[in-house]
Amino acid sequence: KIRGLAGATLQRGPPDWRTSGSVQTLKWSHFDEEKRVATLQVFGGFGGLPSSGLWTEKDVLAWYCLINLGRLCNYSYRFEFYDDWRSADIKIMSNCCGCVPCCLPCCPAWCTVPDWLMKFNAVQVGEKVDGSHWVRNSSYFGAPMQYSYDLVEVVRPDGSPGAYFDDLAKVAPEAMLVSR
């Protein structure tokens, strides 16, 4: 249904999109098929499944800080898939450690960012329902959803090249930070 998300996916976005070229996988996310929900600690963190090394970002100074802040705050995504598996709402969760002084970094992600503040979704492209090509949309401060980037499978879950493998060399930066 969405096996492409268990391989390595590439954020293929406009050159000015701040995370274009990032590579990630949901292979080791916590997945509840009955509820159609996958939860992923983006940069690792306290509790949950081991999840470091599942996300990359550009090798720039800001990401050195943001990856560690994300780990401290248990920055997580909760993917809530629709019945047909063709789309998902993506909820942002954290423990608020970065903005609430009394919160301890060892707390799990307990706070969900409200949709009116920030809302993401992903919609599969075309007739296939294999998870190999998604369009990711974003909304900030209640504005209408707008295109952000394409999320494409570059490596299949078994390690073989995915349908968009050639895009990896074209879009991904030469050097990437891997959360670990």
Side-chain angles (χ1 to χ4, degrees), residues 29-79:
S29 63
H30 179 269
F31 183 63
D32 184 331
E33 187 172 2
E34 184 178 318
K35 293 181 180 178
R36 297 178 315 281
V37 170
T39 306
L40 174 74
Q41 292 172 305
V42 178
F43 301 116
F46 181 80
L49 299 172
S51 57
S52 59
L54 306 182
W55 208 278
T56 70
E57 291 297 349
K58 297 174 186 167
D59 186 7
V60 295
L61 181 60
W63 279 113
Y64 282 87
C65 299
L66 291 172
I67 284 174
N68 285 301
L69 181 61
R71 183 178 294 123
L72 181 71
C73 296
N74 245 344
Y75 183 78
S76 302
Y77 286 136
R78 178 181 167 94
F79 298 81

Side-chain angles (χ1 to χ4, degrees), residues 25-175:
T25 183
L26 293 183
K27 186 170 188 167
W28 293 283
S29 63
H30 179 269
F31 183 63
D32 184 331
E33 187 172 2
E34 184 178 318
K35 293 181 180 178
R36 297 178 315 281
V37 170
T39 306
L40 174 74
Q41 292 172 305
V42 178
F43 301 116
F46 181 80
L49 299 172
S51 57
S52 59
L54 306 182
W55 208 278
T56 70
E57 291 297 349
K58 297 174 186 167
D59 186 7
V60 295
L61 181 60
W63 279 113
Y64 282 87
C65 299
L66 291 172
I67 284 174
N68 285 301
L69 181 61
R71 183 178 294 123
L72 181 71
C73 296
N74 245 344
Y75 183 78
S76 302
Y77 286 136
R78 178 181 167 94
F79 298 81
E80 299 175 352
F81 293 93
Y82 286 70
D83 291 341
D84 63 1
W85 297 97
R86 296 196 52 78
S87 56
D89 289 329
I90 304 169
K91 307 290 186 182
I92 302 164
M93 300 173 66
S94 79
N95 64 16
C96 297
C97 190
C99 58
V100 178
C102 62
C103 188
L104 299 173
C106 59
C107 294
W110 56 268
C111 177
T112 302
V113 174
D115 287 348
W116 61 264
L117 184 59
M118 193 179 307
K119 184 175 180 173
F120 302 151
N121 75 13
V123 180
Q124 289 201 58
V125 175
E127 296 301 316
K128 290 187 192 177
V129 188
D130 64 357
S132 63
H133 188 179
W134 300 78
V135 167
R136 236 278 273 123
N137 303 295
S138 305
S139 168
Y140 302 99
F141 304 108
M145 287 290 221
Q146 292 187 334
Y147 169 80
S148 298
Y149 56 84
D150 287 76
L151 186 66
V152 295
E153 179 190 49
V154 291
V155 178
R156 291 187 179 100
D158 65 6
S160 64
Y164 301 91
F165 181 78
D166 292 341
D167 290 353
L168 190 57
K170 296 174 193 170
V171 179
E174 288 185 26

